[in-house]
Amino acid sequence: MNHQPLAAPLARNRQGIDRRGFVQAIAAAVGCATIAAQAKTLANVSRRVRIVLRSSWQTVNIGDIAHTPGVLALLEKHMPDVEVRLWPSSVGDGVEEMLKRRFPKVAIIRGKDEIATAMDECDFLLHGSGPSLVAAKDVARWRDETGKPYGVFGITVAAIDDQVRSLLSDARFVYFRDSVSLQLAKSSGVTCPVMAMGPDGAFAVDLR
């Protein structure tokens, strides 16, 4: 199967963003710097820090696909010593093959056993960009079962219920991809210590 039709539109979309460099710099500064700072506060380990990225929500459109390779590219560039495992919802339609070509060191986990192993072995959970706290159920599981830190990178929120308020408040950081979401979080009583604007990870895609 030829997967070029997936990669090519991603590259064309990226080239069409005239403020691409600015957006990527902001993403690196506010996102990866914060993740790195949180990683340093973890328990002392002699091995590499392990991050599980909860992302890849669906493959319906280019934007949905681009969230994950964008965040992975930022982590690879700015945190090269960190081990990353991807916990996806959907990587069909050639997306898994595309990700493996670009990020051969990133393990894609699936199934109860692999997810349980990642929850046991990984040090930090990063919820990727999306139209909401898409994986709220899984973030809650991570928090409640492991007690380990987690953060949220580049989401939109249209409504905040009690569960989302609690999860966002307990995060080490939350970056919203629009000012309306940030203001809603503040006015809804979210008490996360680090809340700010941060662009969608899709802006950092470097696929060719």
Side-chain angles (χ1 to χ4, degrees), residues 75-124:
L75 292 172
E76 177 186 72
K77 180 177 181 180
H78 299 281
M79 299 179 66
D81 295 328
V82 168
E83 176 187 337
V84 182
R85 302 182 194 182
L86 172 63
W87 178 1
S89 293
S90 176
V91 285
D93 301 314
V95 173
E96 179 172 358
E97 292 81 358
M98 180 177 65
L99 291 173
K100 285 182 175 179
R101 285 196 300 271
R102 173 60 184 84
F103 305 101
K105 295 181 180 179
V106 174
I108 298 177
I109 63 173
R110 51 170 60 85
K112 293 174 58 177
D113 291 344
E114 290 185 357
I115 292 170
T117 297
M119 293 185 69
D120 179 58
E121 295 181 348
C122 292
D123 306 295
F124 192 91

Side-chain angles (χ1 to χ4, degrees), residues 32-43:
C32 291
T34 306
I35 298 167
Q38 292 299 328
K40 291 179 181 178
T41 68
L42 298 171

